[in-house]
Amino acid sequence: MAAVNEMPVLDPAGVSNLPRKPGLPADEPSSERPARRKPAAADKPATSTPRRRKAAPVNKVTDTLPLLPIRNEVYFPHMIFPLLVGREKSVRALEEASDTGRCLVIATQRNAGEEDPGPDDIYSIGIVAEIMQVLRVPDGTVRVMLEGLSRCRILDYVQNDPHYVVVVEKIESEEVKNIQTEALMRSVCSQFEQVVNGGKSIPPEALVNVMNTENPGRLADVITPYLRQLRYEAQQEILETLDVSARLELLAIVLRKEAELLDIQRTIRARVEKEMGDTQREYLLREQLKVIQSELGERDDVVSEVAEFRARIETAGIPEIARERILKEVKRFEKMPPASPEMGIIRTYLDTVLALPWNVKTEDQLDLHAAEAILNADHYGLDKVKERILEFLAVRKLTEGTTKGPILCFQGPPGVGKTSLGRSIAAALGRKFVHVSVGGMKDEAEIRGHRRTYIGALPGRIIHGLKTCGTRNPVFVLDEIDKIGSDFRGDPSSALLEALDPEQNSEFSDHYLEVPFDLSDVLFLTTANLLDPIPPALRDRMEVISFSSYTEDEKLLIAREHLVPRQQKEHGFANREGALTITDGALNRLIGEYTREAGIRSLEREIGALCRKTARKIVDGSAEAVTIDADDLPDYLGKPRFHRNEKEDADQVGAATGLVYTEVGGDIISIEVSLIPSRESRVQLTGRLGEVMKESAQTALSYLKSAADTFSIPAAMLAEHEIHLHVPAGAIPKDGPSAGISICSALLSALTGSKVRHDTALTGEITLRGKVLGVGGIKEKLIAAHRAGIFRIILPEENLPDLDDLPESVRKDLDIHFVSTMAEVVGLIMRKN
């Protein structure tokens, strides 16, 4: 550091003659002459001669002094430092100080970006400094050397122009040296030594100066300026801390943090140097390994693999965008060392991508008659579904194969053949078949695949299915789509939105592939038991085809034509004609008393049980041929598990027969109402009724109360009785609005004493105004009534079109009455007293 007396010294009076340059840069510490600490008296040898002129006596500091604001820096007492003065106000303050007493106030700005700070923009605590030397610089600015004398507090601003003049109060810290202060001083000195030894750019003589400082208050002022990385706000906080012990504690915290930062930097630097050394060593070893592998011929394997990959790319028919991306991976594979773990990842990726059927398609079998024959041979009924597939084939033939694959959703109860129909459709079209069950799937990556950054990454189930079948236009069944889930790993149903949209799936993006794949030729089929759980956005992309439950006649035909022959073949009766015969009577009883379902799964299991028991008899020699009739079933399968609901034997008061639709088909229920004398008019509902069914009961009762005069209901019956409505069986949950008019009829019968016809069943929703609204499941309900021996039916008028789906064998036996109001229902259901 250059000595102070080496600077050219100007006469203080000559400062007023210096040129002023408005708009100069803000005042900053001089970069050429760093701040210098005034040595303590105890530090200097007896023979030392100060290289600067003697400081002015303290009594030169007056109460009113010019103010020189500075920014981005804080100066402390006993400090010699240079300043570059450029702002006009600062130059004038310097002139004033030079003319009047060579002392001025140095205070820091709060906002360093403020060019003309006001009193509120300047900290109130600063220092009184004495001008030592002034130097004119060729660029028009002024450099001045200052010495800090003491802390001061700005009490008032007495002048703002042409420069600040402030009233200050000199602050002298009370120097109390005790055990606590001594301990703080030792701690601070030790930590400062640790910072200096840790590589901080602090000159060694600074440590000597600090160690020889015995004044507690001065110790903090000596150390703080050396911490150049400390923000000026933190330095200002130390300057404003007047209590010596508090100042030392604050400095100790700062020094501890600096020491920890230096330790971390030293650790990082050592780690980086080590890694750099390891990298260079690894590079040299790999280069040597390449030469060795080349000599051994091992490198030839990589070259042959690369050549094979390039040949497969040329013949795979990959689109240009995907082709460029795959070739880029081949280049990475070629340059990578054989021992690299990532080489195996790239090899797996290339094998997967090149195994996809980018340009492989099967020719559709566009013979409508042959396709219809296959569908009819595999499945009985399901006319709507078969018609839709034949329509697709017809359009495909007219458009010469350019039509996009539809997205069909088969919705219906379990066991009606939704999934197996997909296999039959694939056979009818001459396409490959892919089946994926998405029920219970909760990870989005199951659909879109994992990104290759993960270990063990794989493509999604859709891309994997296409890779397995080897064609880009299979029949792809996504089973149980209504049971798909979601959790923290994502929502698979949202990932399906792109795949199941004919307008978007031509560029389906799988996370593993990282290139688009065309799914527009895939015929997607989805299956669901219920539509409500499917998100609306996904349901909107699909064409829903509803499956109804099989009638008993249909089950009998399916069992005789399909199930029995299949089970006989599976149980070894294919070459033993006549060894097992199951009569139609046995099948009818099996359907009605041993199974209760919408489909035929349980029925096939029971037929399989009959085959197993017969096989044992034949093998052990107890019989050569077995014929099973209806009366033989208890001997094979035990007692019947279900009993048919039959109609009432006679007309009843407070009981009506309703029609319901369950997941296993239609059924009849008996709705019972009992009136109990009570002081309060209450309603009790039992039978595990759902919310909608409870609301239907409340609606029916409210309607009867409002129409009490119309139906001649005595007022006392409503006011003095508790109404108990029960729907057996109590263990079976029930819900839905279709029992509205049945409940209303039972209530009206109980309140008026009129009997309800036992040979009539009814279904329909009721409103508060007595209107009858349409309901669903008409086909299944009417079949259930026909099975129970009830042939007189009351239906809402809105359900007239639903009779088109009813089998003719059932329809011809029924006497159906259509109604639109509850008054019409009463006229048809009530017996006149």
Side-chain angles (χ1 to χ4, degrees):
M1 183 175 66
V4 175
N5 56 9
E6 293 176 358
M7 296 180 60
V9 179
L10 301 181
D11 185 72
V15 175
S16 59
N17 298 324
L18 294 173
R20 299 178 179 83
K21 184 177 180 183
L24 285 173
D27 302 333
E28 303 236 351
S30 172
S31 59
E32 296 183 4
R33 192 178 302 277
R36 184 159 63 92
R37 171 64 51 193
K38 179 180 177 182
D43 303 337
K44 294 188 291 184
T47 59
S48 64
T49 303
R51 302 180 66 184
R52 61 177 179 82
R53 69 180 180 79
K54 185 177 180 181
V58 175
N59 57 14
K60 290 184 63 179
V61 180
T62 60
D63 291 337
T64 303
L65 295 172
L67 171 65
L68 197 157
I70 62 173
R71 46 189 169 186
N72 293 324
E73 192 65 66
V74 176
Y75 294 108
F76 289 81
H78 317 295
M79 189 177 177
I80 298 174
F81 55 93
L83 273 183
L84 180 64
V85 182
R87 288 186 289 194
E88 186 174 355
K89 271 191 175 184
S90 300
V91 173
R92 290 184 179 276
L94 187 59
E95 293 175 353
E96 176 70 18
S98 298
D99 291 341
T100 57
R102 303 186 65 81
C103 284
L104 74 167
V105 177
I106 304 294
T108 305
Q109 295 179 204
R110 297 180 185 274
N111 182 6
E114 185 66 41
E115 188 66 29
D116 186 14
D120 294 337
D121 299 324
I122 303 172
Y123 286 106
S124 60
I125 300 294
I127 64 169
V128 175
E130 179 186 7
I131 300 173
M132 297 174 59
Q133 292 175 349
V134 179
L135 174 66
R136 176 180 177 181
V137 182
D139 62 2
T141 59
V142 177
R143 292 190 179 183
V144 59
M145 184 68 71
L146 300 170
E147 177 185 358
L149 300 179
S150 66
R151 285 175 172 81
C152 68
R153 179 183 286 108
I154 300 175
L155 301 177
D156 191 15
Y157 285 77
V158 297
Q159 176 181 313
N160 290 345
D161 288 316
H163 60 84
Y164 285 120
V165 177
V166 295
V167 177
V168 297
E169 173 189 8
K170 181 179 177 183
I171 301 173
E172 292 291 348
S173 300
E174 183 179 355
E175 304 292 346
V176 179
K177 194 168 183 180
N178 50 32
I179 295 177
Q180 180 181 1
T181 308
E182 182 69 24
L184 284 172
M185 290 180 66
R186 290 187 180 182
S187 176
V188 166
C189 291
S190 175
Q191 290 174 353
F192 183 70
E193 182 179 5
Q194 184 178 355
V195 170
V196 173
N197 295 334
K200 205 71 174 175
S201 56
I202 299 174
E205 57 268 20
L207 181 59
V208 177
N209 191 20
V210 168
M211 291 299 181
N212 292 327
T213 301
E214 298 180 356
N215 189 309
R218 185 171 178 179
L219 181 63
D221 295 344
V222 170
I223 293 176
T224 303
Y226 288 112
L227 305 178
R228 308 301 298 174
Q229 302 298 327
L230 199 62
R231 293 177 57 86
Y232 72 89
E233 293 92 347
Q235 292 182 340
Q236 180 69 30
E237 184 181 1
I238 295 175
L239 180 67
E240 293 181 357
T241 305
L242 304 181
D243 183 75
V244 174
S245 296
R247 193 187 310 165
L248 289 172
E249 289 178 359
L250 182 60
L251 181 60
I253 294 173
V254 172
L255 288 171
R256 188 181 305 116
K257 182 178 178 181
E258 285 292 319
E260 291 175 357
L261 288 175
L262 286 173
D263 288 341
I264 295 173
Q265 290 177 356
R266 188 163 51 250
T267 302
I268 294 173
R269 185 166 55 251
R271 187 184 307 160
V272 169
E273 291 175 354
K274 180 179 181 301
E275 290 182 357
M276 289 181 63
D278 292 344
T279 302
Q280 292 175 352
R281 178 173 175 272
E282 183 179 355
Y283 174 76
L284 293 174
L285 291 175
R286 289 194 182 280
E287 291 299 320
Q288 294 174 7
L289 182 61
K290 284 182 181 180
V291 176
I292 296 172
Q293 288 174 341
S294 177
E295 293 293 331
L296 295 175
E298 293 181 1
R299 206 59 199 169
D300 297 339
D301 296 338
V302 176
V303 174
S304 62
E305 277 189 282
V306 170
E308 181 185 351
F309 285 143
R310 294 186 185 276
R312 291 171 64 185
I313 291 173
E314 294 300 325
T315 58
I318 303 174
E320 188 61 30
I321 297 177
R323 187 171 179 274
E324 293 178 0
R325 179 71 177 85
I326 297 170
L327 285 174
K328 184 178 179 181
E329 291 296 323
V330 172
K331 291 178 181 178
R332 288 185 59 207
F333 179 81
E334 185 178 13
K335 296 179 180 179
M336 195 161 291
S340 174
E342 193 173 355
M343 195 170 189
I345 297 175
I346 299 177
R347 181 185 288 110
T348 303
Y349 171 77
L350 292 174
D351 285 334
T352 301
V353 172
L354 295 177
L356 291 177
W358 294 94
N359 203 26
V360 180
K361 295 170 62 175
T362 55
E363 291 294 330
D364 285 341
Q365 180 179 319
L366 300 179
D367 187 345
L368 268 64
H369 297 290
E372 186 176 9
I374 293 174
L375 293 175
N376 290 333
D378 292 345
H379 289 80
Y380 176 80
L382 306 177
D383 295 331
K384 289 184 178 180
V385 183
K386 296 175 182 177
E387 184 67 23
R388 180 64 182 86
I389 298 303
L390 295 177
E391 290 172 359
F392 168 72
L393 285 177
V395 174
R396 188 87 175 173
K397 189 169 185 177
L398 291 177
T399 58
E400 297 180 353
T402 59
T403 183
K404 295 180 179 178
I407 312 296
L408 303 180
C409 178
F410 297 159
Q411 180 268 325
V416 294
K418 300 185 298 296
T419 305
S420 61
L421 182 61
R423 194 178 299 274
S424 300
I425 292 172
L429 294 174
R431 294 189 178 190
K432 296 291 186 66
F433 177 75
V434 180
H435 174 264
V436 173
S437 178
V438 296
M441 186 181 292
K442 295 183 179 181
D443 190 355
E444 179 189 357
E446 292 281 350
I447 303 298
R448 286 192 174 276
H450 302 83
R451 298 192 183 278
R452 287 196 292 139
T453 52
Y454 297 103
I455 297 175
L458 292 171
R461 301 287 289 275
I462 295 177
I463 296 298
H464 179 73
L466 296 178
K467 175 189 171 185
T468 303
C469 74
T471 64
R472 55 178 290 184
N473 64 336
V475 174
F476 204 115
V477 174
L478 297 171
D479 212 359
E480 307 292 352
I481 199 170
D482 58 327
K483 297 175 180 60
I484 201 166
S486 63
D487 61 7
F488 65 93
R489 292 169 291 184
D491 185 0
S493 62
S494 298
L496 284 173
L497 293 178
E498 181 184 4
L500 299 184
D501 190 345
E503 302 299 326
Q504 299 182 38
N505 61 11
S506 60
E507 293 185 353
F508 176 72
S509 176
D510 187 282
H511 290 158
Y512 182 81
L513 297 186
E514 298 179 347
V515 292
F517 192 89
D518 187 2
L519 300 179
S520 60
D521 290 325
V522 179
L523 176 56
F524 281 106
L525 304 178
T526 64
T527 69
N529 297 129
L530 302 172
L531 289 179
D532 292 341
I534 303 175
L538 184 58
R539 188 166 63 243
D540 182 64
R541 286 164 163 77
M542 301 183 293
E543 179 182 344
V544 179
I545 299 177
S546 297
F547 284 52
S548 60
S549 59
Y550 289 118
T551 65
E552 289 196 358
D553 292 340
E554 290 173 337
K555 288 182 180 180
L556 176 61
L557 192 147
I558 293 171
R560 185 171 62 229
E561 301 295 332
H562 297 276
L563 302 185
V564 172
R566 183 163 64 198
Q567 288 299 316
Q568 286 181 335
K569 181 179 178 181
E570 290 181 0
H571 289 84
F573 292 98
N575 299 325
R576 294 175 177 267
E577 187 176 352
L580 172 62
T581 302
I582 303 176
T583 65
D584 287 355
L587 291 175
N588 270 323
R589 188 176 184 187
L590 200 61
I591 292 168
E593 298 182 16
Y594 287 87
T595 63
R596 178 165 291 181
E597 57 179 345
I600 54 174
R601 282 203 185 102
S602 296
L603 177 59
E604 186 171 9
R605 279 195 294 268
E606 297 302 329
I607 293 173
L610 294 177
C611 293
R612 291 193 301 273
K613 294 183 182 297
T614 303
R616 180 178 177 181
K617 286 186 176 183
I618 293 175
V619 171
D620 64 15
S622 60
E624 294 183 359
V626 176
T627 299
I628 300 176
D629 203 352
D631 296 335
D632 301 324
L633 288 181
D635 297 333
Y636 287 88
L637 302 178
K639 63 181 181 180
R641 302 182 185 91
F642 304 100
H643 299 279
R644 300 180 187 269
N645 290 331
E646 303 291 344
K647 68 177 181 180
E648 299 288 342
D649 295 332
D651 298 343
Q652 302 284 334
V653 175
T657 302
L659 297 175
V660 296
Y661 174 64
T662 68
E663 63 179 10
V664 295
D667 204 354
I668 65 171
I669 58 172
S670 178
I671 299 173
E672 305 171 348
V673 176
S674 176
L675 298 181
I676 306 169
S678 175
R679 294 181 181 180
E680 299 181 7
S681 176
R682 297 185 300 176
V683 179
Q684 186 175 359
L685 305 175
T686 58
R688 291 195 70 182
L689 307 185
E691 291 297 325
V692 177
M693 199 166 183
K694 289 180 180 179
E695 291 175 359
S696 295
Q698 295 288 350
T699 302
L701 183 59
S702 298
Y703 165 69
L704 291 178
K705 288 181 178 179
S706 65
D709 295 338
T710 304
F711 298 114
S712 302
I713 301 174
M717 296 298 292
L718 291 170
E720 300 175 0
H721 289 82
E722 176 183 343
I723 299 174
H724 186 173
L725 186 146
H726 179 68
V727 183
I732 302 175
K734 311 163 193 73
D735 203 4
S738 62
I741 62 175
S742 306
I743 294 173
C744 188
S745 300
L747 287 170
L748 181 60
S749 172
L751 292 171
T752 60
S754 301
K755 292 184 178 181
V756 179
R757 294 186 60 159
H758 73 284
D759 62 346
T760 304
L762 63 168
T763 183
E765 181 179 355
I766 190 173
T767 70
L768 285 174
R769 294 179 294 169
K771 289 187 175 182
V772 179
L773 304 181
V775 293
I778 295 299
K779 175 185 174 183
E780 289 79 7
K781 292 176 181 178
L782 295 182
I783 292 174
H786 185 273
R787 183 174 60 238
I790 300 177
F791 304 107
R792 191 170 184 269
I793 309 296
I794 298 176
L795 294 180
E797 197 173 77
E798 296 179 4
N799 289 117
L800 179 59
D802 293 325
L803 296 186
D804 296 339
D805 299 331
L806 193 64
E808 185 61 29
S809 60
V810 176
R811 185 175 181 178
K812 67 181 182 180
D813 296 334
L814 299 180
D815 178 19
I816 303 175
H817 300 269
F818 293 96
V819 296
S820 59
T821 63
M822 191 61 204
E824 298 177 34
V825 175
V826 173
L828 293 169
I829 197 69
M830 295 295 182
R831 294 286 190 186
K832 295 181 180 179
N833 294 330

